[in-house]
């Protein structure tokens, strides 16, 4: 089944919180709709925050990479 995760708030106008059901190392990568990486950070805890306040309004893709594979979730930034 792998790592379950959730992102809130979504849509967001600033900081998102990423919660994982299992502790493990990995990384988060935020990309635009064209697949360009805009930011990335390491994950070392079950709860991680990312500040998206510098991004323009629109849709983005957040990927979680860990030893159980890659998971993707769409994130909407609103202004």
């Amino acid at each position: 089944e792998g790592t379950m995760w959730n992102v809130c708030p979504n849509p967001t106008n600033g900081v998102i919180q990423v919660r994982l059901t299992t502790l493990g190392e990995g990384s988060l990568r935020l990309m635009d709709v064209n697949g360009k990486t805009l930011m990335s950070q390491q994950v070392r805890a079950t709860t991680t925050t990312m500040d998206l306040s510098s991004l323009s309004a629109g849709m983005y893709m957040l990927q979680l990479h860990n030893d159980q594979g890659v998971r993707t979730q769409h994130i909407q930034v609103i202004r």
Side-chain angles (χ1 to χ4, degrees), residues 39-64:
M39 59 179 70
S40 61
Q41 71 184 55
Q42 293 301 113
V43 176
R44 294 188 178 91
T46 55
T47 302
T48 302
T49 59
M50 288 184 89
D51 185 357
L52 308 185
S53 59
S54 64
L55 299 177
S56 300
M59 292 297 291
Y60 298 88
M61 294 176 291
L62 182 65
Q63 284 189 337
L64 169 66

Side-chain angles (χ1 to χ4, degrees), residues 1-63:
E1 176 143 324
T3 302
M4 298 296 294
W5 64 313
N6 111 355
V7 179
C8 61
N10 187 13
T12 184
N13 62 3
V15 175
I16 59 170
Q17 190 172 69
V18 180
R19 294 189 189 116
L20 308 176
T21 56
T22 56
L23 181 59
E25 292 200 12
S27 63
L28 290 169
R29 190 167 92 184
L30 188 80
M31 297 172 294
D32 65 16
V33 293
N34 298 313
K36 178 183 176 189
T37 299
L38 303 175
M39 59 179 70
S40 61
Q41 71 184 55
Q42 293 301 113
V43 176
R44 294 188 178 91
T46 55
T47 302
T48 302
T49 59
M50 288 184 89
D51 185 357
L52 308 185
S53 59
S54 64
L55 299 177
S56 300
M59 292 297 291
Y60 298 88
M61 294 176 291
L62 182 65
Q63 284 189 337

